[in-house]
Amino acid sequence: MRFFRQNIGIPLILIFLMLLDGQLSTFMATIFPVNLHLVCHLLLIFLLFVSVEISDVATFIIFLIIGILYDAYYFHIIGIATLILPLLSLLVNKYNATMMENRGTRFLSVLILVFLFEFISFLLAHLVNLTSMEMNVFIVYSLAPSMLLNGLLLILLQPLLEKVYL
């Protein structure tokens, strides 16, 4: 049962969460008529918790594959999430003991993961001319609201995730 959970169940859940992130982000864009661009990152929240269960190499490979799928589905250019997600998985695996120490460090870790993913994605997208948005507009209307949203999602999901993964 553990083999199925680690090698099939967790990757399928993570792929589902990648797709769900996009749907939730689109849904929130229709709810909030202002210029806020809220991006849901359940995938990064779950990265923190599943890294306890699966090996470093498996996590890297899973997030490399999810990065390719993420790029194809959202960015339509391979390279941005394909680079960032495996690197974030390495970061989480290296500092897992510190990141999972208590609820406060898990909360800060999610904020850092969301910041790194969003900021590096923006920089790479700007580098390859996928966006013309200015940095200050990105920070105010996308980065900060997305970090708040994902912090709230972690607060809501943390009790359930602790029961399942810790």
Side-chain angles (χ1 to χ4, degrees):
M1 188 68 171
R2 185 172 174 89
F3 175 81
F4 176 80
R5 181 178 173 173
Q6 288 180 343
N7 297 316
I8 298 169
I10 289 175
L12 288 177
I13 289 170
L14 292 171
I15 290 170
F16 171 75
L17 289 173
M18 178 198 74
L19 297 171
L20 182 63
D21 282 345
Q23 298 304 314
L24 290 173
S25 298
T26 303
F27 176 70
M28 285 182 278
T30 61
I31 290 177
F32 299 109
V34 295
N35 292 333
L36 291 180
H37 182 71
L38 296 167
V39 181
C40 182
H41 285 292
L42 292 172
L43 182 66
L44 295 178
I45 293 171
F46 273 72
L47 164 62
L48 195 61
F49 285 90
V50 299
S51 66
V52 172
E53 286 225 4
I54 52 181
S55 72
D56 297 358
V57 174
T59 306
F60 182 83
I61 292 169
I62 290 167
F63 277 89
L64 177 66
I65 293 168
I66 290 175
I68 293 168
L69 295 172
Y70 195 102
D71 279 338
Y73 189 72
Y74 294 115
F75 295 131
H76 306 294
I77 183 171
I78 303 296
I80 295 175
T82 306
L83 174 69
I84 299 169
L85 286 175
L87 291 176
L88 289 178
S89 75
L90 290 175
L91 179 75
V92 168
N93 285 327
K94 180 161 178 64
Y95 298 106
N96 195 336
T98 305
M99 290 178 159
M100 297 300 286
E101 194 169 312
N102 59 48
R103 286 184 171 191
T105 57
R106 285 190 289 272
F107 181 78
L108 291 174
S109 297
V110 165
L111 293 181
I112 290 168
L113 289 173
V114 170
F115 172 81
L116 289 173
F117 184 84
E118 286 289 320
F119 192 72
I120 295 170
S121 294
F122 175 77
L123 290 179
L124 291 174
H126 203 69
L127 183 69
V128 294
N129 292 324
L130 287 177
T131 185
S132 59
M133 185 184 300
E134 292 184 29
M135 178 74 72
N136 58 347
V137 173
F138 166 72
I139 291 170
V140 171
Y141 292 105
S142 184
L143 182 63
S146 295
M147 289 175 66
L148 289 172
L149 170 68
N150 287 286
L152 289 173
L153 287 173
L154 177 67
I155 290 170
L156 293 173
L157 294 173
Q158 192 160 229
L160 175 66
L161 292 171
E162 286 173 352
K163 286 182 183 178
V164 173
Y165 292 106
L166 299 182

